[in-house]
Amino acid sequence: MVVLTKPSLGQVSLTRTQKPNHNHSGIPVIDLSQPGSEALVVRACEELGFFKVTDHGIPMELIAKLEEEAVKFFALPQIDKERVGPAIPFGYGSKNIGCNGDTGWVEYLLMEITSKPMSHASLAVLTEPSASSFRSALNEYISAVRKLACEVLESMAEGLKIEPRNIFSKMVMDEESDSVLRFNHYPPCPMPQASEGVVTGFGEHTDPQIISVLRSNDTAGLQISLRDGSWVSVLPDRAAFFINVGDSLQVLTNGRFRSVRHRVLANGLKSRVSMIYFGGPPSGERLAPMSLLMREGEESHYREFTWCEYKRCAYKTMLADNRLGQFEK
Ligand code: GA4
């Protein structure tokens, strides 16, 4: 396996973050095959909007294979990575996130997910046999991670006692689902003086979609924000998946589930590589609090909007902005 050890992002104006708290052991760890896990899933979504899933059934070899392909990609000369095309909306990006001035100590690859086995046209620039081997690992991984996302979403519906069981998962299983796969590479970062804080890898934000399923190597960096605004570090676990509630699910549940604010801090010594599946609804899907979930007399906190409308607004914002604010009643 190629191991990336050298900083490779060149000059980036480093965004500093206050020194973090220490590792948090209070992140719920849920084995979905255990009886009663649905209630734990609901509680984790209400309290944190974040939890870890073990015994997920995705073979470690498949995960390791895709990570290896991603590491090989990021180890290519800059000029070759850029041949994939700019990240807006899909492609390779470095240091710049979105198009409104956010920067981070990160390079990444953003890929659109369609319902059919994909040719991943952007990878055509890679030479064979690399392109085919990346493509086949990608297709296999995408089916597996989408299935996991659906299991988690079905467990949420069961825990909330709403029917049908696929009420959430059908949106990400839909042929038209607007889902994304993202690879992030955070090279080791020369750290500033201790008193100056730490460098931001990926600035704080919430994910716009319904659900995000993240897997990383063993390098720390991910932090989540608690309700009181404090930040806690998530211990990395290469064998597990981390689930984030996204803004769309917060809306569907009328704020009962919390779209978790999170960020990644750069690491001084080791490369962090993560792969994240963002399960989104079809473009025209109407999002509004589900009446099934509203208690008697409960008021809707959000006006109805389509996913397409939300995305359009999201792309005009900066990472840290409160995107849902514009849709609150
Ligand atoms: C956050 C979640 C996903 O990574 C992403 C990001 C997107 C991008 O990197 O292009 C955004 C960001 C994310 C939210 C606000 C906008 C759009 C960068 C940005 C400043 C792919 C997504 O869907 O939204």
Side-chain angles (χ1 to χ4, degrees), residues 73 78-94 108-111 121-126:
F73 173 81
Q78 191 63 20
I79 192 158
D80 291 343
K81 292 186 274 194
E82 283 170 5
R83 284 169 60 215
V84 162
I88 300 166
F90 300 110
Y92 170 77
S94 170
Y108 57 92
L109 191 55
L110 267 177
M111 290 179 164
S122 57
L123 297 179
V125 297
L126 303 181

mmCIF file of all heavy atoms in Angstrom, residues 73 78-94 108-111 121-126:
data_model
loop_
_atom_site.group_PDB
_atom_site.id
_atom_site.type_symbol
_atom_site.label_atom_id
_atom_site.label_comp_id
_atom_site.label_asym_id
_atom_site.label_seq_id
_atom_site.Cartn_x
_atom_site.Cartn_y
_atom_site.Cartn_z
ATOM 1 N N PHE A 73 -4.517 7.188 -5.799
ATOM 2 C CA PHE A 73 -4.933 8.370 -6.551
ATOM 3 C C PHE A 73 -4.286 9.635 -5.968
ATOM 4 O O PHE A 73 -3.708 10.447 -6.681
ATOM 5 C CB PHE A 73 -6.466 8.515 -6.566
ATOM 6 C CG PHE A 73 -6.916 9.802 -7.183
ATOM 7 C CD1 PHE A 73 -6.981 9.935 -8.563
ATOM 8 C CD2 PHE A 73 -7.216 10.908 -6.386
ATOM 9 C CE1 PHE A 73 -7.336 11.159 -9.146
ATOM 10 C CE2 PHE A 73 -7.576 12.121 -6.956
ATOM 11 C CZ PHE A 73 -7.642 12.238 -8.343
ATOM 12 N N GLN A 78 0.332 16.098 -8.985
ATOM 13 C CA GLN A 78 -0.772 17.074 -8.947
ATOM 14 C C GLN A 78 -1.433 17.237 -10.319
ATOM 15 O O GLN A 78 -2.653 17.241 -10.441
ATOM 16 C CB GLN A 78 -0.204 18.413 -8.439
ATOM 17 C CG GLN A 78 -1.239 19.444 -8.083
ATOM 18 C CD GLN A 78 -2.140 19.010 -6.913
ATOM 19 O OE1 GLN A 78 -1.792 18.126 -6.128
ATOM 20 N NE2 GLN A 78 -3.300 19.617 -6.831
ATOM 21 N N ILE A 79 -0.628 17.307 -11.320
ATOM 22 C CA ILE A 79 -1.144 17.552 -12.671
ATOM 23 C C ILE A 79 -2.082 16.436 -13.130
ATOM 24 O O ILE A 79 -3.088 16.679 -13.794
ATOM 25 C CB ILE A 79 0.035 17.797 -13.650
ATOM 26 C CG1 ILE A 79 -0.473 18.333 -14.970
ATOM 27 C CG2 ILE A 79 0.899 16.579 -13.848
ATOM 28 C CD1 ILE A 79 0.608 19.082 -15.746
ATOM 29 N N ASP A 80 -1.763 15.200 -12.720
ATOM 30 C CA ASP A 80 -2.622 14.067 -13.095
ATOM 31 C C ASP A 80 -3.934 14.105 -12.319
ATOM 32 O O ASP A 80 -5.002 13.812 -12.865
ATOM 33 C CB ASP A 80 -1.913 12.730 -12.832
ATOM 34 C CG ASP A 80 -0.755 12.526 -13.791
ATOM 35 O OD1 ASP A 80 -0.720 13.227 -14.818
ATOM 36 O OD2 ASP A 80 0.110 11.686 -13.501
ATOM 37 N N LYS A 81 -3.852 14.473 -11.030
ATOM 38 C CA LYS A 81 -5.094 14.546 -10.235
ATOM 39 C C LYS A 81 -6.011 15.608 -10.826
ATOM 40 O O LYS A 81 -7.224 15.425 -10.916
ATOM 41 C CB LYS A 81 -4.762 14.870 -8.774
ATOM 42 C CG LYS A 81 -4.030 13.733 -8.087
ATOM 43 C CD LYS A 81 -3.830 13.991 -6.621
ATOM 44 C CE LYS A 81 -2.604 14.782 -6.311
ATOM 45 N NZ LYS A 81 -2.226 14.755 -4.885
ATOM 46 N N GLU A 82 -5.415 16.699 -11.265
ATOM 47 C CA GLU A 82 -6.242 17.792 -11.792
ATOM 48 C C GLU A 82 -6.893 17.441 -13.119
ATOM 49 O O GLU A 82 -7.904 18.036 -13.499
ATOM 50 C CB GLU A 82 -5.416 19.072 -11.889
ATOM 51 C CG GLU A 82 -5.276 19.679 -10.508
ATOM 52 C CD GLU A 82 -4.287 20.813 -10.415
ATOM 53 O OE1 GLU A 82 -3.734 21.229 -11.450
ATOM 54 O OE2 GLU A 82 -4.065 21.282 -9.274
ATOM 55 N N ARG A 83 -6.353 16.437 -13.804
ATOM 56 C CA ARG A 83 -6.964 16.025 -15.079
ATOM 57 C C ARG A 83 -8.359 15.445 -14.882
ATOM 58 O O ARG A 83 -9.146 15.354 -15.823
ATOM 59 C CB ARG A 83 -6.050 15.020 -15.787
ATOM 60 C CG ARG A 83 -4.846 15.730 -16.435
ATOM 61 C CD ARG A 83 -3.807 14.737 -16.897
ATOM 62 N NE ARG A 83 -4.323 13.795 -17.874
ATOM 63 C CZ ARG A 83 -3.957 12.514 -17.954
ATOM 64 N NH1 ARG A 83 -3.087 12.017 -17.100
ATOM 65 N NH2 ARG A 83 -4.465 11.737 -18.878
ATOM 66 N N VAL A 84 -8.666 15.042 -13.648
ATOM 67 C CA VAL A 84 -10.006 14.518 -13.339
ATOM 68 C C VAL A 84 -11.063 15.627 -13.490
ATOM 69 O O VAL A 84 -12.241 15.364 -13.669
ATOM 70 C CB VAL A 84 -9.991 13.926 -11.898
ATOM 71 C CG1 VAL A 84 -11.361 13.753 -11.332
ATOM 72 C CG2 VAL A 84 -9.238 12.606 -11.880
ATOM 73 N N GLY A 85 -10.617 16.876 -13.416
ATOM 74 C CA GLY A 85 -11.548 18.009 -13.536
ATOM 75 C C GLY A 85 -11.836 18.604 -12.171
ATOM 76 O O GLY A 85 -11.660 17.934 -11.148
ATOM 77 N N PRO A 86 -12.275 19.871 -12.135
ATOM 78 C CA PRO A 86 -12.484 20.556 -10.860
ATOM 79 C C PRO A 86 -13.673 19.977 -10.083
ATOM 80 O O PRO A 86 -14.587 19.407 -10.662
ATOM 81 C CB PRO A 86 -12.758 22.002 -11.265
ATOM 82 C CG PRO A 86 -13.222 21.934 -12.674
ATOM 83 C CD PRO A 86 -12.619 20.706 -13.291
ATOM 84 N N ALA A 87 -13.642 20.169 -8.776
ATOM 85 C CA ALA A 87 -14.635 19.542 -7.885
ATOM 86 C C ALA A 87 -16.019 20.171 -7.947
ATOM 87 O O ALA A 87 -16.938 19.678 -7.299
ATOM 88 C CB ALA A 87 -14.118 19.596 -6.464
ATOM 89 N N ILE A 88 -16.170 21.234 -8.705
ATOM 90 C CA ILE A 88 -17.495 21.885 -8.716
ATOM 91 C C ILE A 88 -18.232 21.488 -9.979
ATOM 92 O O ILE A 88 -17.847 21.938 -11.057
ATOM 93 C CB ILE A 88 -17.344 23.411 -8.582
ATOM 94 C CG1 ILE A 88 -16.633 23.694 -7.254
ATOM 95 C CG2 ILE A 88 -18.684 24.101 -8.638
ATOM 96 C CD1 ILE A 88 -16.107 25.097 -7.114
ATOM 97 N N PRO A 89 -19.210 20.630 -9.982
ATOM 98 C CA PRO A 89 -19.738 19.989 -8.777
ATOM 99 C C PRO A 89 -19.039 18.672 -8.429
ATOM 100 O O PRO A 89 -19.016 18.289 -7.272
ATOM 101 C CB PRO A 89 -21.207 19.707 -9.137
ATOM 102 C CG PRO A 89 -21.170 19.465 -10.618
ATOM 103 C CD PRO A 89 -20.035 20.304 -11.167
ATOM 104 N N PHE A 90 -18.424 17.968 -9.428
ATOM 105 C CA PHE A 90 -17.785 16.681 -9.130
ATOM 106 C C PHE A 90 -16.405 16.624 -9.756
ATOM 107 O O PHE A 90 -16.252 16.964 -10.928
ATOM 108 C CB PHE A 90 -18.633 15.514 -9.666
ATOM 109 C CG PHE A 90 -20.005 15.479 -9.065
ATOM 110 C CD1 PHE A 90 -21.117 15.790 -9.818
ATOM 111 C CD2 PHE A 90 -20.167 15.164 -7.719
ATOM 112 C CE1 PHE A 90 -22.377 15.788 -9.255
ATOM 113 C CE2 PHE A 90 -21.429 15.166 -7.146
ATOM 114 C CZ PHE A 90 -22.536 15.480 -7.909
ATOM 115 N N GLY A 91 -15.425 16.173 -8.995
ATOM 116 C CA GLY A 91 -14.066 16.064 -9.512
ATOM 117 C C GLY A 91 -13.070 16.182 -8.380
ATOM 118 O O GLY A 91 -13.385 15.873 -7.227
ATOM 119 N N TYR A 92 -11.874 16.664 -8.721
ATOM 120 C CA TYR A 92 -10.788 16.753 -7.736
ATOM 121 C C TYR A 92 -10.675 18.183 -7.206
ATOM 122 O O TYR A 92 -10.748 19.155 -7.978
ATOM 123 C CB TYR A 92 -9.474 16.330 -8.403
ATOM 124 C CG TYR A 92 -8.266 16.610 -7.543
ATOM 125 C CD1 TYR A 92 -7.946 15.779 -6.464
ATOM 126 C CD2 TYR A 92 -7.467 17.722 -7.784
ATOM 127 C CE1 TYR A 92 -6.848 16.050 -5.650
ATOM 128 C CE2 TYR A 92 -6.362 17.999 -6.979
ATOM 129 C CZ TYR A 92 -6.066 17.155 -5.916
ATOM 130 O OH TYR A 92 -4.985 17.428 -5.108
ATOM 131 N N GLY A 93 -10.484 18.305 -5.907
ATOM 132 C CA GLY A 93 -10.306 19.621 -5.307
ATOM 133 C C GLY A 93 -9.154 19.592 -4.318
ATOM 134 O O GLY A 93 -8.846 18.557 -3.735
ATOM 135 N N SER A 94 -8.534 20.734 -4.147
ATOM 136 C CA SER A 94 -7.443 20.824 -3.187
ATOM 137 C C SER A 94 -7.519 22.181 -2.495
ATOM 138 O O SER A 94 -7.557 23.214 -3.188
ATOM 139 C CB SER A 94 -6.123 20.668 -3.940
ATOM 140 O OG SER A 94 -5.056 20.981 -3.098
ATOM 141 N N TYR A 108 -9.334 16.361 -2.120
ATOM 142 C CA TYR A 108 -10.486 15.453 -2.147
ATOM 143 C C TYR A 108 -10.950 15.119 -3.558
ATOM 144 O O TYR A 108 -10.572 15.789 -4.535
ATOM 145 C CB TYR A 108 -11.653 16.047 -1.344
ATOM 146 C CG TYR A 108 -12.107 17.417 -1.810
ATOM 147 C CD1 TYR A 108 -13.124 17.560 -2.743
ATOM 148 C CD2 TYR A 108 -11.491 18.574 -1.333
ATOM 149 C CE1 TYR A 108 -13.532 18.808 -3.192
ATOM 150 C CE2 TYR A 108 -11.895 19.826 -1.779
ATOM 151 C CZ TYR A 108 -12.910 19.938 -2.702
ATOM 152 O OH TYR A 108 -13.297 21.175 -3.154
ATOM 153 N N LEU A 109 -11.769 14.087 -3.605
ATOM 154 C CA LEU A 109 -12.366 13.640 -4.861
ATOM 155 C C LEU A 109 -13.859 13.501 -4.584
ATOM 156 O O LEU A 109 -14.255 12.817 -3.630
ATOM 157 C CB LEU A 109 -11.746 12.290 -5.212
ATOM 158 C CG LEU A 109 -11.976 11.669 -6.575
ATOM 159 C CD1 LEU A 109 -11.570 12.620 -7.704
ATOM 160 C CD2 LEU A 109 -11.160 10.374 -6.696
ATOM 161 N N LEU A 110 -14.654 14.187 -5.372
ATOM 162 C CA LEU A 110 -16.119 14.135 -5.197
ATOM 163 C C LEU A 110 -16.732 13.415 -6.381
ATOM 164 O O LEU A 110 -16.449 13.770 -7.531
ATOM 165 C CB LEU A 110 -16.673 15.567 -5.188
ATOM 166 C CG LEU A 110 -16.852 16.287 -3.872
ATOM 167 C CD1 LEU A 110 -17.349 17.700 -4.112
ATOM 168 C CD2 LEU A 110 -17.831 15.538 -2.987
ATOM 169 N N MET A 111 -17.566 12.435 -6.109
ATOM 170 C CA MET A 111 -18.170 11.666 -7.201
ATOM 171 C C MET A 111 -19.671 11.569 -7.076
ATOM 172 O O MET A 111 -20.193 11.302 -5.986
ATOM 173 C CB MET A 111 -17.628 10.253 -7.181
ATOM 174 C CG MET A 111 -16.212 10.232 -7.593
ATOM 175 S SD MET A 111 -15.661 8.560 -7.514
ATOM 176 C CE MET A 111 -14.213 8.747 -8.460
ATOM 177 N N ALA A 121 -16.825 8.391 -15.279
ATOM 178 C CA ALA A 121 -16.147 8.981 -16.420
ATOM 179 C C ALA A 121 -14.911 9.778 -16.016
ATOM 180 O O ALA A 121 -13.889 9.760 -16.704
ATOM 181 C CB ALA A 121 -17.125 9.886 -17.153
ATOM 182 N N SER A 122 -14.996 10.439 -14.855
ATOM 183 C CA SER A 122 -13.870 11.289 -14.466
ATOM 184 C C SER A 122 -12.593 10.467 -14.273
ATOM 185 O O SER A 122 -11.494 10.990 -14.360
ATOM 186 C CB SER A 122 -14.194 12.044 -13.188
ATOM 187 O OG SER A 122 -14.522 11.147 -12.170
ATOM 188 N N LEU A 123 -12.757 9.156 -14.017
ATOM 189 C CA LEU A 123 -11.564 8.336 -13.789
ATOM 190 C C LEU A 123 -10.918 7.910 -15.106
ATOM 191 O O LEU A 123 -9.862 7.285 -15.112
ATOM 192 C CB LEU A 123 -11.903 7.103 -12.951
ATOM 193 C CG LEU A 123 -12.412 7.403 -11.542
ATOM 194 C CD1 LEU A 123 -12.732 6.114 -10.814
ATOM 195 C CD2 LEU A 123 -11.392 8.200 -10.741
ATOM 196 N N ALA A 124 -11.575 8.253 -16.212
ATOM 197 C CA ALA A 124 -11.055 7.850 -17.514
ATOM 198 C C ALA A 124 -9.644 8.396 -17.732
ATOM 199 O O ALA A 124 -8.878 7.849 -18.506
ATOM 200 C CB ALA A 124 -11.978 8.323 -18.616
ATOM 201 N N VAL A 125 -9.329 9.467 -17.021
ATOM 202 C CA VAL A 125 -8.003 10.058 -17.208
ATOM 203 C C VAL A 125 -6.905 9.211 -16.557
ATOM 204 O O VAL A 125 -5.734 9.392 -16.828
ATOM 205 C CB VAL A 125 -7.921 11.499 -16.642
ATOM 206 C CG1 VAL A 125 -8.866 12.421 -17.375
ATOM 207 C CG2 VAL A 125 -8.196 11.531 -15.152
ATOM 208 N N LEU A 126 -7.305 8.290 -15.679
ATOM 209 C CA LEU A 126 -6.287 7.439 -15.052
ATOM 210 C C LEU A 126 -5.881 6.368 -16.055
ATOM 211 O O LEU A 126 -6.676 5.940 -16.883
ATOM 212 C CB LEU A 126 -6.836 6.757 -13.791
ATOM 213 C CG LEU A 126 -7.381 7.659 -12.699
ATOM 214 C CD1 LEU A 126 -7.849 6.823 -11.519
ATOM 215 C CD2 LEU A 126 -6.306 8.628 -12.229
#
